[in-house]
Amino acid sequence: MPDIKVTPLGAGQDVGRSCILVSIGGKNIMLDCGMHMGYNDDRRFPDFSYITQNGRLTEFLDCVIISHFHLDHCGALPYMSEMVGYDGPIYMTHPTKAICPILLEDFRKITVDKKGETNFFTSQMIKDCMKKVVPLNLHQTVQVDEELEIKAYYAGHVLGAAMVQIKVGSESVVYTGDYNMTPDRHLGAAWIDKCRPDLLISESTYATTIRDSKRCRERDFLKKVHETVERGGKVLIPVFALGRAQELCILLETFWERMNLKAPIYFSTGLTEKANHYYKLFITWTNQKIRKTFVQRNMFEFKHIKAFDRSYADNPGPMVVFATPGMLHAGQSLLIFKKWAGNEKNMVIMPGYCVQGTVGHKILNGQKKLEMEGRATVIIGTLDVKLQVEYMSFSAHADAKGIMQLIRMAEPRNMLLVHGEAKKMEFLKDKIEQEFSISCYMPANGETTSIVTNPSVPVDISLNLLKREMALGGPLPDAKRPRTMHGTLIMKDNSLRLVSPEQALKELGLSEHQLRFTCRVQLHDPHSDNDTLGRIYTHLKSVLKTYSIQHVPDGTVIVESIVIKVTSSAEEPNLKVILLSWSYQDEELGSFLSTLLKKGLPS
Amino acid sequence: MDISSDESDDWFIESLNTYKDLHVFQLEHPTKVIEWTGDKNICVAGYTGSRSEILELLLPLKLYAGENQGLCAERDFKVQHGGFSEEPIESLIHISGTRCVVTSGSSSSTLQIWDIGGDDSDVIKRTGVINLKSTSVKGCKIAPGLTDEPAVLHGSCISEVQLTEIATGRVLYTVAKESSDSVSGLQFVNACVFLICASDGTLFMGDTRDPSTCHYPLEDSKSGLHWAFGLRSDSSQSEPSGCTVARLSSSGHMLLSDLRNLQSPFCQTQLNVQHDASKNDFLNVSWAPVLDRCLSVSGFDGTVHIYNTINWSTEGQSPQPVFSHRGHEMSDEAKYSGSPPVVTTHSWHQSRPKTLLSAATDGSLHVWDWVDKITDR
């Protein structure tokens, strides 16, 4: 039976890294290639030995698709393509292609330079990897090869995030990556058409949560900033240029305006240039509001928010500063942090995940004393962390309700949830199965799930054959009411054609042969041959009411194409020999008649 | 710029000062029950479809992080267990000390008994039923027994009130009162003494050791009003004294009575409510478990009002609430729907003095910790 196979790579209950293998219609696709951020050793990379024990992956994979730039979805990509080895195409959206290398390089620097790791990809590897990338546009079907095609859909979540549809013939799979169903200030909500894939693959991580509203998260953020500024403290918000910075700036600006606040808000110049550049490039990926803002003026031209100068950090009094990089691992945000950390009136708000080894990660784990490194990682002193540390998550994810909405939109025939514990997901599985009458699978990492599909095989029918079928009458062809028909199927190259047998013979240059069967039945009947034939005719007419039966004057009875004759020998005139002859097409009826006549005639 | 300055935004900005914590959630289906099943867990259940979900939710961990609240980013509810009911759920109670809940619905003549489950499965399973004498459209009212052996007190009209042992289905006690008045609420005061409030405001007090019950009708009962009650017990269950009963009518009339003298309420007042709640049965009055003499009221509209009854007097103007939660009226969903949401139920947190949970007809579920302008500044 044709099927689709899905294997999430990883081990056991491992969550935190996405790398899913899909086999469909003879093609192998890798969906995402994430790094596990919790491990320091080789466990952070997906286990590619499932694909092949040793050697390069190129011949085993038809393509790799990356859903978005978060490291748990693309962090292991350079490792896979350059260290394990893969030379085939890597698909991702344009914004992802632009942003991925920046994040990968930052990540590499932290891991190698700060933590001294050796088994890691190099800067050159990142560059070589990105050369293999083929960028995708939304809603555009891309032919990977003659049989495999893919299409990207908008996923929300972060700039450039996509859900992907993979299609081979009439079988298809949709992979969601990370997505969200509610729009926020700078991104829209995920959207997909009723594409009815055989399988929809999604994360189960947030499937059992009910998300607190965005408004409340923003409220919390404003409250913290306000409280700090009111008591004369300084607020540092380390941001990644393309993350929430834009959104938080808009939020603060409006709040400042409404509350008539005077404390200065700054953003570092590195932030503006980068952000402006990327938003300009990818304006179609943001939502309506942002586009309107952009069209009117420069995105970062605010009334209350000004460009930061290094010297301002020493100014007395309250202020708010947005600075890069987001994990406090280097650069301006770290410099400012060092200056402000010692004062308990101050606050640092971390708006997202921080990689192990960064100052961000340490303070989010409650560390109060940090070792400060100078050049060449020489420790030059300790820093007391007295300021208030706040961890605020603004990331947009779908929750239990969102998953149901997406299934309603796409109408898949089957559902598959990865990265969940089966016993903690039984309720969701029941819910999905009951509401949509589809099967819901939840494989453990490393486990392969086979989903049987029922693909339709499209066949071209010749016009003659079609006309002939139409002439037979009966109900018109209806998708819901299949009708059996006869023809000859010719499979040549990749095409399938249904033609009449005569045409097939002609095309193939074969001559037609007719098969006829003959059968003799002996019967005792004290009548003349003609009378016996007449009796046979009457008998058959009473039994075979729906068939065409003729009694021809030349001494034969014809049933459809079957010819019946009666003869007898001069020596035994009562021993009749009934001769039946039929063509191959009427074999069933012929057999039936011979069996029937063997039983004798009624008196 | 982008945020339009409408009422809803104003309210959110105001909330920076008026709430310590505020969490706003949207359930897939609205609930009219919020029942505590643990320190950090509640059960909610649907009442709008023929098939309803029962969910056990874990409250956002951020609320429990104490001093480390800043480092905890967990703001979401976690669905820990879920199950399906064949009928809309009108009431849900938890049997203390167990993982058992009992529900009553609007379409069947049984009470359903459920096992919420532990760590090994996330499915809430039905384990049994208790047959009722009749079916009530509004669902049978239920209350947990306070004895060691799990039991449930139930009835949709006074004469049908009985106490049934859950494990065996054995009827432990029946009210010997011929009255077809419908029950608005019932609750045990201690292991043996219980109170029933009829829809017309009459209170019945009974004792499972004694078949007779005493009843205390209202002095001037106005027809057409529907009454709900809330019981506040002080400390231990041994002595029924020290218990205050609040009765609330669908027109906002409030009576406070002491259990030792249910005949004459010690306080009567008229709350200033905009709408008549008689068209729905969401009327809810609850006493705060920690704050002294504070009670909360909801069901008239999309608001939950909190009052301090300490200064209430029988004459005089209607009392002003010390706090009003208008979050349900201010939600995005409320903006776009035709009719404003009505709060279906609310519940106080067992130990956090000023934390409440409230749910409304639009499926919203809020967790909020309000600031008392007088005491908290």
Side-chain angles (χ1 to χ4, degrees):
Chain A
M1 287 299 292
D3 61 3
I4 297 175
K5 290 192 173 57
V6 180
T7 312
L9 290 186
Q13 301 306 325
D14 224 326
V15 203
R17 174 228 294 113
S18 293
C19 186
I20 303 165
L21 296 177
V22 173
S23 288
I24 172 175
K27 306 286 170 187
N28 293 330
I29 299 118
M30 179 184 285
L31 299 170
D32 281 338
C33 191
M35 180 81 82
H36 196 305
M37 312 306 280
Y39 293 122
N40 284 328
D41 49 30
D42 283 354
R43 285 176 298 176
R44 60 181 156 206
F45 301 120
D47 183 9
F48 299 117
S49 65
Y50 178 84
I51 306 172
T52 174
Q53 289 293 325
N54 42 36
R56 302 177 71 79
L57 303 175
T58 315
E59 59 181 284
F60 298 97
L61 292 173
D62 291 280
C63 71
V64 174
I65 305 175
I66 302 291
S67 62
H68 63 288
F69 61 65
H70 277 157
L71 291 171
D72 55 341
H73 289 256
C74 74
L77 190 63
Y79 169 80
M80 193 269 301
S81 72
E82 307 311 306
M83 293 170 84
V84 177
Y86 170 74
D87 298 312
I90 302 173
Y91 291 95
M92 59 180 78
T93 62
H94 286 274
T96 311
K97 181 178 179 201
I99 299 165
C100 231
I102 305 172
L103 278 174
L104 287 170
E105 180 53 32
D106 268 353
F107 179 43
R108 188 208 66 77
K109 257 200 254 189
I110 296 168
T111 314
V112 173
D113 299 347
K114 293 237 166 259
K115 289 161 70 191
E117 302 267 351
T118 45
N119 185 26
F120 215 74
F121 48 83
T122 62
S123 291
Q124 187 56 44
M125 286 182 186
I126 297 174
K127 294 196 178 91
D128 292 337
C129 172
M130 298 311 289
K131 288 193 191 121
K132 299 170 185 170
V133 169
V134 179
L136 294 170
N137 287 317
L138 282 179
H139 306 159
Q140 189 185 50
T141 305
V142 170
Q143 294 287 145
V144 177
D145 60 35
E146 271 176 13
E147 288 137 330
L148 173 62
E149 49 182 61
I150 61 178
K151 179 153 74 161
Y153 288 93
Y154 190 80
H157 186 57
V158 290
L159 194 65
M163 308 190 288
V164 189
Q165 181 195 42
I166 299 136
K167 208 161 171 186
V168 178
S170 59
E171 288 175 286
S172 65
V173 168
V174 169
Y175 169 58
T176 64
D178 284 341
Y179 65 101
N180 68 287
M181 301 300 289
T182 44
D184 60 28
R185 282 181 207 280
H186 78 300
L187 293 174
W191 181 87
I192 192 165
D193 51 11
K194 236 189 247 306
C195 53
R196 299 213 174 97
D198 289 286
L199 183 65
L200 178 63
I201 303 176
S202 188
E203 292 280 332
S204 59
T205 327
Y206 295 93
T208 50
T209 59
I210 299 177
R211 302 269 301 167
D212 189 8
S213 73
K214 189 171 53 79
R215 273 282 182 89
C216 285
R217 288 167 205 271
E218 292 177 343
R219 176 200 168 265
D220 229 25
F221 170 71
L222 291 175
K223 193 165 176 350
K224 295 281 184 254
V225 171
H226 186 54
E227 277 167 4
T228 307
V229 157
E230 287 282 278
R231 64 172 182 240
K234 297 170 167 60
V235 183
L236 170 65
I237 308 170
V239 283
F240 170 56
L242 294 143
R244 305 281 146 186
Q246 163 72 351
E247 228 183 293
L248 296 176
C249 278
I250 296 174
L251 191 58
L252 269 192
E253 166 94 347
T254 319
F255 183 62
W256 246 240
E257 181 77 18
R258 184 192 280 268
M259 307 285 280
N260 202 18
L261 297 175
K262 302 296 176 206
I265 311 175
Y266 301 109
F267 47 61
S268 53
T269 41
L271 184 71
T272 24
E273 277 153 25
K274 262 199 204 133
N276 267 330
H277 171 68
Y278 286 107
Y279 272 101
K280 270 208 189 94
L281 268 184
F282 305 121
I283 195 69
T284 49
W285 284 86
T286 59
N287 69 15
Q288 201 62 19
K289 278 193 194 147
I290 299 277
R291 264 175 270 168
K292 262 195 343 201
T293 316
F294 216 108
V295 165
Q296 285 159 13
R297 54 185 163 80
N298 176 354
M299 266 203 9
F300 276 86
E301 222 171 80
F302 293 104
K303 220 170 101 176
H304 300 275
I305 310 183
K306 302 285 172 232
F308 187 68
D309 183 277
R310 206 194 301 203
S311 59
Y312 297 173
D314 297 317
N315 288 358
M319 72 172 85
V320 181
V321 177
F322 289 90
T324 56
M327 299 187 250
L328 284 181
H329 55 279
Q332 194 166 71
S333 60
L334 185 59
L335 270 172
I336 300 170
F337 176 77
K338 284 183 195 168
K339 281 187 201 256
W340 296 356
N343 187 339
E344 58 262 326
K345 273 201 247 173
N346 296 340
M347 176 184 284
V348 60
I349 298 180
M350 308 296 299
Y353 176 80
C354 293
V355 168
Q356 252 188 42
T358 55
V359 169
H361 185 94
K362 290 178 185 154
I363 59 173
L364 284 179
N365 277 1
Q367 218 171 310
K368 295 287 178 204
K369 279 194 192 317
L370 298 171
E371 283 175 349
M372 286 293 113
E373 296 162 359
R375 295 250 160 76
T377 69
V378 171
I379 297 180
I380 52 169
T382 45
L383 184 68
D384 278 323
V385 179
K386 291 196 184 142
L387 86 178
Q388 217 177 311
V389 179
E390 289 285 329
Y391 186 13
M392 294 200 177
S393 161
F394 290 100
S395 73
H397 277 278
D399 60 3
K401 190 167 151 209
I403 285 196
M404 303 303 276
Q405 281 173 305
L406 188 70
I407 298 176
R408 225 167 269 133
M409 254 192 201
E411 287 191 11
R413 299 207 181 90
N414 296 281
M415 185 71 205
L416 191 133
L417 295 166
V418 292
H419 298 145
E421 264 183 79
K423 67 179 187 196
K424 299 251 166 90
M425 310 280 307
E426 215 187 306
F427 171 65
L428 180 65
K429 179 176 158 31
D430 284 348
K431 199 167 129 106
I432 291 174
E433 287 183 342
Q434 280 168 33
E435 184 156 340
F436 301 110
S437 300
I438 62 176
S439 299
C440 181
Y441 301 89
M442 297 173 313
N445 289 343
E447 197 187 303
T448 303
T449 308
S450 274
I451 290 111
V452 172
T453 56
N454 213 356
S456 44
V457 183
V459 170
D460 290 328
I461 181 172
S462 82
L463 197 55
N464 278 337
L465 193 60
L466 189 61
K467 281 187 185 164
R468 194 200 286 189
E469 278 300 313
M470 298 287 284
L472 286 177
L476 287 175
D478 185 344
K480 294 195 179 116
R481 272 192 255 171
R483 201 167 106 177
T484 314
M485 59 173 291
H486 295 278
T488 306
L489 183 71
I490 302 180
M491 288 167 68
K492 198 170 167 192
D493 300 321
N494 271 339
S495 77
L496 297 164
R497 281 164 53 235
L498 195 66
V499 298
S500 65
E502 299 82 38
Q503 191 174 337
L505 288 168
K506 205 163 97 180
E507 274 186 35
L508 299 168
L510 298 168
S511 42
E512 186 175 0
H513 300 269
Q514 292 271 350
L515 273 174
R516 279 196 87 83
F517 296 94
T518 319
C519 172
R520 284 182 166 76
V521 177
Q522 286 194 331
L523 204 64
H524 277 278
D525 200 67
H527 295 104
S528 72
D529 286 357
N530 263 346
D531 284 346
T532 307
L533 192 65
R535 273 158 53 79
I536 290 170
Y537 172 71
T538 317
H539 179 48
L540 291 183
K541 258 215 116 60
S542 74
V543 174
L544 302 173
K545 294 193 174 66
T546 53
Y547 290 85
S548 105
I549 308 176
Q550 296 165 276
H551 187 168
V552 182
D554 72 352
T556 56
V557 165
I558 299 177
V559 181
E560 301 290 327
S561 78
I562 301 164
V563 177
I564 304 173
K565 281 192 162 95
V566 176
T567 54
S568 58
S569 71
E571 297 88 30
E572 292 189 67
N574 287 349
L575 183 65
K576 307 292 177 197
V577 175
I578 308 172
L579 194 79
L580 294 116
S581 162
W582 60 83
S583 72
Y584 168 68
Q585 279 86 344
D586 284 325
E587 214 255 312
E588 216 179 305
L589 184 58
S591 302
F592 171 75
L593 286 180
S594 70
T595 314
L596 178 70
L597 292 173
K598 277 184 185 136
K599 291 186 190 147
L601 293 171
S603 38
Chain B
M1 227 222 237
D2 286 320
I3 305 176
S4 56
S5 48
D6 66 302
E7 227 189 324
S8 163
D9 287 317
D10 284 339
W11 182 82
F12 260 100
I13 299 291
E14 254 302 292
S15 76
L16 263 69
N17 293 325
T18 51
Y19 294 83
K20 189 164 141 280
D21 287 312
L22 179 63
H23 297 262
V24 165
F25 303 90
Q26 192 61 29
L27 296 172
E28 234 181 303
H29 308 286
T31 182
K32 48 153 81 160
V33 303
I34 295 175
E35 175 79 352
W36 290 92
T37 53
D39 275 344
K40 301 180 184 159
N41 299 73
I42 57 165
C43 259
V44 295
Y47 68 95
T48 50
S50 58
R51 265 195 120 235
S52 307
E53 283 176 12
I54 303 174
L55 303 173
E56 189 196 34
L57 308 174
L58 175 69
L59 260 67
L61 294 176
K62 202 171 170 71
L63 289 171
Y64 298 94
E67 278 145 31
N68 287 330
Q69 214 191 35
L71 299 179
C72 178
E74 267 311 323
R75 306 182 59 94
D76 303 331
F77 266 114
K78 193 121 180 54
V79 179
Q80 294 201 303
H81 297 90
F84 297 100
S85 159
E86 300 298 316
E87 57 174 352
I89 292 181
E90 294 289 317
S91 312
L92 186 151
I93 53 154
H94 171 241
I95 306 295
S96 179
T98 71
R99 290 297 279 158
C100 168
V101 295
V102 180
T103 61
S104 84
S106 57
S107 56
S108 76
S109 53
T110 60
L111 297 181
Q112 318 274 309
I113 306 165
W114 308 82
D115 176 17
I116 301 175
D119 286 334
D120 54 338
S121 159
D122 73 329
V123 176
I124 298 177
K125 297 184 180 79
R126 207 180 69 169
T127 54
V129 296
I130 292 174
N131 290 308
L132 301 173
K133 292 186 190 135
S134 65
T135 311
S136 154
V137 167
K138 286 198 167 178
C140 184
K141 301 297 172 192
I142 50 180
L146 296 180
T147 51
D148 288 330
E149 191 52 49
V152 55
L153 185 69
H154 58 93
S156 36
C157 67
I158 305 290
S159 57
E160 288 180 3
V161 172
Q162 63 189 40
L163 180 68
T164 306
E165 193 174 50
I166 291 177
T168 59
R170 200 159 56 99
V171 175
L172 302 173
Y173 174 86
T174 315
V175 161
K177 185 97 191 163
E178 280 303 313
S179 165
S180 60
D181 290 344
S182 65
V183 172
S184 158
L186 26 72
Q187 193 171 334
F188 268 99
V189 176
N190 61 27
C192 307
V193 177
F194 62 88
L195 273 187
I196 308 172
C197 178
S199 291
D200 67 357
T202 308
L203 279 179
F204 293 79
M205 184 154 86
D207 189 318
T208 54
R209 298 165 291 197
D210 175 355
S212 67
T213 52
C214 310
H215 77 284
Y216 307 93
L218 292 176
E219 268 165 18
D220 60 325
S221 156
K222 301 180 189 59
S223 68
L225 289 181
H226 169 77
W227 290 81
F229 90 128
L231 181 67
R232 178 174 215 260
S233 309
D234 267 328
S235 58
S236 72
Q237 305 167 1
S238 53
E239 192 53 60
S241 65
C243 283
T244 328
V245 182
R247 272 173 290 179
L248 174 68
S249 84
S250 47
S251 64
H253 201 67
M254 181 80 94
L255 298 171
L256 300 182
S257 313
D258 189 305
L259 214 67
R260 289 165 292 194
N261 181 8
L262 288 178
Q263 190 63 53
S264 323
F266 65 82
C267 177
Q268 282 198 54
T269 188
Q270 174 65 43
L271 300 180
N272 187 11
V273 288
Q274 310 290 64
H275 304 275
D276 191 335
S278 60
K279 288 197 198 62
N280 60 52
D281 58 342
F282 301 136
L283 212 55
N284 191 315
V285 53
S286 307
W287 288 95
V290 178
L291 292 181
D292 204 25
R293 318 263 194 103
C294 276
L295 56 68
S296 52
V297 157
S298 73
F300 295 96
D301 51 22
T303 321
V304 180
H305 296 287
I306 299 175
Y307 296 91
N308 188 333
T309 64
I310 210 159
N311 290 322
W312 280 12
S313 60
T314 300
E315 289 103 29
Q317 302 164 317
S318 54
Q320 285 306 302
V322 295
F323 189 81
S324 295
H325 174 66
R326 299 181 61 215
H328 294 280
E329 288 178 341
M330 296 299 166
S331 66
D332 286 330
E333 282 76 20
K335 259 195 279 191
Y336 302 119
S337 77
S339 52
V342 176
V343 173
T344 56
T345 185
H346 71 270
S347 178
W348 289 80
H349 194 285
Q350 325 281 45
S351 50
R352 289 166 60 105
K354 300 215 285 300
T355 303
L356 285 98
L357 283 78
S358 54
T361 48
D362 60 356
S364 54
L365 178 65
H366 295 181
V367 184
W368 40 284
D369 196 303
W370 50 282
V371 167
D372 188 335
K373 291 203 163 70
I374 303 158
T375 62
D376 285 353
R377 276 281 157 222

